[in-house]
Amino acid sequence: MGKFVAVTACVLLALIALILLVVAGYVCYVGLTYERIPDNTALEIENNQSGTVALGVEYSIATYNVGFGAYNHEFSFFMDSGKMKDGTEVTGKNSKAASEEVVKTNINGSAALISEGDYDFILLQEVDLDSTRSYHIDQYEIFNAAFSDMTRTYGICYDSAFLFYPLTDPHGKSLTALASYSKFKMDSALRRQYPLATDISKYFDLDRCFVVMRYSLENGKELVVVNSHMSAYDKGGIVRHQQLEVLNAFLADEQKKGNYVIVGGDFNHDIAHSDGMFESQQFRPEWVYSLSSDDLVTGYQFVAAQNAPTCRSTDIPYEKGVNYTVVLDGFIVSNNIEVKEVVNIDNDFIYSDHNPATMTFVLK
């Protein structure tokens, strides 16, 4: 009996030691493979067109977070949690899309939805290039085929190690980009880095960035179009405040040059004073913070529509009137640009946890 106990104890100790070794090895792997892309990284411009942007002409732009093709109505995300108004606490379930077919349906649907608008500029966020969560489907190639007659560029915003969480269905490795398209000749494209948290959460957040694209104008100035995606999982909004400081410094510099600037994207803030505007059976999530034009440097304003929400909560599957919804997507515009119209496309979150935001404008 004593020998049996001793052998059992040795086996248990060996198993514990093996588990600790595996955990330590994985922690080392994640730490050693973590690397941020340097700031001010020049990006390749592909399929560059010959058209030029002119003053006094009306143009259109759309921004759309396509949610890496996973978010049909049944999808809820494992990193999100919230609370129903009846007091029930809820947490998302899924770490990856339900199937390859779901990803293809959502990305092709998103491409078709945007194609209908025949926009002059298109800004997309969360476009997976090679990710476990989206079955390694190259979504950039799908959008390239849909917008084959447009100039394009992309900046990597997520290049993670293999994340073994949740243990029962790991999120895996992700390679994700901000993808941008236009009908005009692009002079340059530059990837700018946003600040991130310095604690362990940095390993699970996107490598937040914004992509700066420049177009020459007849008056010697430039139209500067920016594709941006700010942090979401940021308790207290501290990192997002730091990111706004970086963006504001960039905007101030462009204003000194007299350039025309449009920043489009997913700001992960309520930028349309839309909290409580749309029917919901959930309380406002703690990650929803507000931004207004007062938070921007002089000479710029937020431009966002209130006709429909652009983001839904993902702690539960989607049901209209049940999920919390808000406007997180839209534009920042310099005061030398006249905004003609801003409209959110109410697609009822069929292909993503976001709806597209659109704007028509004229360079004065």
Side-chain angles (χ1 to χ4, degrees):
M1 185 66 177
K3 185 177 180 181
F4 174 77
V5 171
V7 171
T8 302
C10 287
V11 170
L12 288 175
L13 287 173
L15 286 174
I16 292 171
L18 179 61
I19 292 171
L20 291 174
L21 182 63
V22 169
V23 171
Y26 177 68
V27 170
C28 288
Y29 157 71
V30 171
L32 291 173
T33 57
Y34 179 80
E35 183 179 8
R36 295 206 67 189
I37 299 170
D39 197 11
N40 291 299
T41 298
L43 302 176
E44 180 182 358
I45 299 170
E46 305 170 0
N47 198 40
N48 212 354
Q49 303 297 295
S50 59
T52 56
V53 182
L55 304 179
V57 176
E58 185 169 297
Y59 296 111
S60 60
I61 185 170
T63 181
Y64 189 16
N65 182 331
V66 300
F68 60 91
Y71 290 86
N72 55 13
H73 284 182
E74 289 72 41
F75 189 90
S76 63
F77 192 50
F78 74 101
M79 289 183 69
D80 280 339
S81 60
K83 193 173 184 179
M84 309 300 292
K85 289 183 178 178
D86 65 5
T88 304
E89 294 186 354
V90 290
T91 302
K93 308 293 185 187
N94 307 109
S95 61
K96 60 170 70 82
S99 66
E100 290 186 39
E101 291 70 26
V102 165
V103 175
K104 291 177 181 177
T105 295
N106 287 341
I107 295 301
N108 281 296
S110 293
L113 178 65
I114 295 299
S115 293
E116 290 174 4
D118 191 28
Y119 299 102
D120 298 299
F121 302 88
I122 300 169
L123 308 176
L124 305 177
Q125 301 86 42
E126 291 199 34
V127 177
D128 274 3
L129 306 179
D130 184 13
S131 301
T132 308
R133 63 188 186 179
S134 54
Y135 299 89
H136 303 285
I137 294 169
D138 190 338
Q139 300 170 6
Y140 184 55
E141 287 303 313
I142 295 175
F143 287 117
N144 290 350
F147 313 135
S148 59
D149 58 348
M150 302 182 79
T151 303
R152 61 180 181 260
T153 190
Y154 72 91
I156 300 298
C157 62
Y158 197 26
D159 187 3
S160 75
F162 192 99
L163 300 180
F164 276 103
Y165 187 79
L167 293 177
T168 55
D169 189 22
H171 191 62
K173 181 171 175 56
S174 298
L175 183 63
T176 309
L178 304 180
S180 306
Y181 300 84
S182 82
K183 295 181 178 179
F184 309 102
K185 181 180 179 181
M186 190 184 301
D187 295 327
S188 66
L190 190 71
R191 182 192 184 279
R192 292 295 314 275
Q193 185 185 88
Y194 274 133
L196 284 183
T198 56
D199 59 16
I200 193 172
S201 65
K202 70 180 182 182
Y203 296 109
F204 305 99
D205 197 5
L206 303 182
D207 190 3
R208 302 289 179 173
C209 66
F210 58 101
V211 173
V212 180
M213 294 152 285
R214 298 182 182 273
Y215 301 87
S216 297
L217 299 173
E218 59 202 73
N219 63 356
K221 304 299 182 181
E222 294 176 314
L223 169 62
V224 182
V225 178
V226 177
N227 189 349
S228 176
H229 192 185
M230 299 176 78
S231 286
Y233 303 103
D234 171 29
K235 191 171 184 179
I238 297 171
V239 173
R240 279 178 284 184
H241 179 73
Q242 295 171 349
Q243 292 174 354
L244 184 63
E245 288 182 340
V246 169
L247 185 59
N248 266 330
F250 166 81
L251 295 176
D253 189 52
E254 294 302 318
Q255 185 184 54
K256 291 176 184 177
K257 299 174 185 176
N259 288 332
Y260 301 74
V261 182
I262 297 174
V263 182
D266 176 2
F267 292 94
N268 271 313
H269 288 78
D270 177 5
I271 59 171
H273 308 290
S274 60
D275 178 45
M277 182 173 290
F278 309 107
E279 183 182 357
S280 171
Q281 294 179 22
Q282 292 187 293
F283 287 113
R284 169 179 172 159
E286 63 179 21
W287 50 262
V288 177
Y289 293 86
S290 298
L291 282 179
S292 71
S293 298
D294 292 338
D295 297 303
L296 301 174
V297 292
T298 302
Y300 292 88
Q301 63 174 323
F302 276 108
V303 176
Q306 297 178 332
N307 66 292
T310 67
C311 183
R312 63 126 168 143
S313 65
T314 59
D315 44 33
I316 56 174
Y318 177 69
E319 185 178 348
K320 190 177 181 66
V322 175
N323 294 67
Y324 179 87
T325 57
V326 67
V327 176
L328 304 183
D329 306 80
F331 307 91
I332 296 173
V333 177
S334 56
N335 60 8
N336 50 4
I337 296 176
E338 179 184 357
V339 175
K340 292 292 188 178
E341 185 179 40
V342 56
V343 177
N344 298 329
I345 300 175
D346 189 357
N347 195 48
D348 199 33
F349 306 106
I350 293 174
Y351 304 125
S352 173
D353 58 324
H354 287 251
N355 284 323
T358 72
M359 181 178 71
T360 54
F361 63 94
V362 173
L363 308 184
K364 294 190 285 187

